[in-house]
């Protein structure tokens, strides 16, 4: 029996419909949420992400202002821009697209953003509030993961959730959110011994490492829920052709188009054992943008409360 598909696009559409109602309520008071997105340099992926975020914001009625800054920009100059945006009473949300050029320390930039405008949820104050269960602005991808689980009415209380990846952006905040819902959480990483046996005990698997097909289908416990956060683009190398032998649809796409997107989980074989699974693409990705929009609206409502 094949797993049910957790459709991130469908869940995102429901969230966006709810946000439109909140934005209309703000508009009735003469308020329009405003989000400023800063992109430094010419990273191609960052350009795509920023364009998608700005487009979605405009669709929902959020005033989005993407700013493209040169890759020669100094850290001091970027800090000055952020200081100005912090003071600007018309700005509700500030997002600095990562990665940044090597002359700029991302940690310094994140800490400079007003926590009340930190729509990424990365500021130390927001991280601390998350750990205390009092967060207002939660990192977008982990928040989206929780919405996906709720969409399938996944029982979290007492469930064993294995989070593979310990990043500040996904792994750690996802673990905190699961703990707050009474799940028992194990965090795995590159130094974890016998990963397969730990994954095999999990009721919920969240893979967020960035290594294609790290989690093989036979590692998944029958009936488990699998959330695949990884997005890996593979080219037509001999190694990748071998990696995709058990996923014929992905292999065919690779051979036809020269590249293909795959997750951290071997989808075809894992879906034969899981009860629910996210596809790549179309799983977690749409929720990340939807939750960014929600944070932008939440930040606006809080400032005008």
């Amino acid at each position: 029996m094949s797993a049910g598909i957790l459709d991130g696009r469908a869940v995102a559409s429901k969230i966006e419909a709810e946000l439109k109602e909140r934005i209309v309520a703000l508009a009735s008071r003469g308020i329009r949420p405003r989000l400023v997105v800063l992109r430094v340099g010419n990273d191609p992926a960052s350009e795509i992400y920023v364009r998608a975020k700005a487009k979605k914001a405009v669709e929902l009625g959020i005033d989005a202002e993407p700013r493209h800054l040169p890759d020669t920009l100094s850290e001091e100059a970027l800090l000055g821009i952020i200081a100005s945006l912090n003071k600007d009473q018309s700005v509700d949300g500030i997002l600095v697209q990562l990665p940044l050029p090597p002359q700029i320390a991302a940690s310094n930039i994140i800490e400079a953003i007003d926590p009340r405008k930190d729509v990424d949820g990365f500021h130390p104050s927001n991280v601390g509030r998350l750990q205390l269960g009092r967060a207002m602005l939660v990192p977008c991808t982990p928040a989206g993961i929780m919405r996906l689980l709720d969409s399938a009415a996944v029982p979290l209380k007492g469930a064993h959730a294995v989070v593979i990846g310990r990043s500040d952006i996904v792994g750690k905040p996802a673990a905190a959110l699961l703990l707050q819902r009474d799940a028992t959480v194990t965090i795995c990483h590159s130094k974890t011994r016998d990963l397969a046996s730990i994954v095999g005990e999990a009721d919920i698997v969240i893979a967020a490492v960035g290594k294609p097909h790290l989690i093989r289908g036979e590692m998944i416990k029958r009936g488990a829920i699998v959330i695949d956060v990884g997005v890996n683009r593979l080219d037509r190398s001999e190694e990748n052709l071998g990696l995709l032998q058990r996923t014929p649809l992905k292999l065919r796409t690779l051979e036809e188009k020269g590249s293909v997107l795959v997750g951290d989980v071997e989808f075809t074989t894992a879906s034969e054992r899981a009860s629910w699974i996210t596809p790549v693409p179309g799983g977690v990705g749409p929720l990340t943008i939807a939750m960014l929009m929600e944070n932008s609206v939440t930040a606006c409502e809080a400032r005008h409360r």
Side-chain angles (χ1 to χ4, degrees), residues 249-269:
L249 290 177
K250 293 289 187 179
L251 182 60
R252 191 178 310 139
T253 301
L254 178 60
E255 291 172 338
E256 291 175 355
K257 298 186 176 180
S259 68
V260 66
L261 290 178
V262 302
D264 291 351
V265 177
E266 189 181 49
F267 179 85
T268 302
T269 54

Side-chain angles (χ1 to χ4, degrees), residues 3-305:
I5 301 300
L6 289 169
D7 187 344
R9 293 188 178 97
V11 178
S13 293
K14 292 181 181 178
I15 293 169
E16 289 162 12
E18 296 166 1
L19 288 177
K20 285 180 180 178
E21 294 180 3
R22 291 165 63 182
I23 291 167
V24 167
L26 286 167
S28 69
R29 297 165 54 198
I31 300 167
R32 183 181 174 94
R34 184 178 174 213
L35 170 66
V36 176
V37 183
L38 303 177
R39 176 169 67 93
V40 185
N42 300 300
D43 180 74
S46 292
E47 182 180 1
I48 293 170
Y49 295 149
V50 167
R51 190 185 307 127
K53 291 168 183 176
K55 180 182 177 183
K56 181 58 66 178
V58 171
E59 286 177 6
L60 295 177
I62 296 171
D63 183 8
E65 182 186 342
R67 296 188 191 178
H68 181 205
L69 304 167
D71 58 7
T72 55
L73 189 76
S74 68
E75 182 176 306
E76 182 181 6
L78 183 54
L79 288 171
I81 293 169
I82 290 171
S84 176
L85 293 172
N86 285 341
K87 295 176 183 176
D88 190 337
Q89 292 303 306
S90 72
V91 174
D92 300 294
I94 303 168
L95 185 151
V96 178
Q97 184 66 45
L98 303 177
L100 291 168
Q103 73 272 16
I104 301 175
S107 58
N108 292 340
I109 301 305
I110 291 168
E111 289 188 32
I113 298 171
D114 184 336
R116 296 167 297 179
K117 300 185 179 186
D118 168 39
V119 289
D120 262 336
F122 295 162
H123 190 282
S125 293
N126 288 327
V127 173
R129 294 181 70 86
L130 175 61
Q131 294 299 322
L132 294 171
R134 294 162 48 196
M136 181 181 74
L137 301 175
V138 176
C140 302
T141 300
I145 290 169
M146 301 306 291
R147 290 294 187 95
L148 272 175
L149 292 171
D150 287 341
S151 74
V154 174
L156 299 178
K157 185 176 293 187
H160 183 198
V162 171
V163 179
I164 307 150
R166 53 180 169 178
S167 73
D168 295 333
I169 295 173
V170 180
K172 292 176 184 176
L177 291 171
L178 287 162
L179 282 170
Q180 289 168 21
R181 298 283 293 277
D182 297 323
T184 299
V185 181
T186 301
I187 301 179
C188 299
H189 46 78
S190 59
K191 304 297 189 295
T192 297
R193 297 174 183 172
D194 198 4
L195 177 64
S197 67
I198 298 173
V199 172
E201 297 175 351
D203 302 307
I204 301 165
V205 177
I206 298 175
V209 181
K211 291 187 178 180
H213 288 189
L214 173 69
I215 308 302
R216 312 290 278 182
E218 57 269 21
M219 296 166 68
I220 302 299
K221 182 171 78 172
R222 291 199 179 277
I225 293 93
V226 178
I227 307 291
D228 192 350
V229 184
V231 180
N232 311 282
R233 184 174 293 278
L234 303 184
D235 58 21
R236 201 189 281 123
S237 69
E238 189 172 328
E239 179 185 359
N240 291 336
L241 289 170
L243 188 68
L244 298 178
Q245 286 303 311
R246 301 202 300 178
T247 54
L249 290 177
K250 293 289 187 179
L251 182 60
R252 191 178 310 139
T253 301
L254 178 60
E255 291 172 338
E256 291 175 355
K257 298 186 176 180
S259 68
V260 66
L261 290 178
V262 302
D264 291 351
V265 177
E266 189 181 49
F267 179 85
T268 302
T269 54
S271 63
E272 294 171 357
R273 299 173 67 89
S275 59
W276 291 95
I277 192 168
T278 57
V280 175
V284 176
L287 269 299
T288 298
I289 293 181
M291 300 315 297
L292 171 64
M293 299 300 108
E294 180 168 273
N295 276 351
S296 300
V297 174
T298 298
C300 179
E301 290 171 336
R303 289 201 327 112
H304 293 280
R305 189 165 294 145

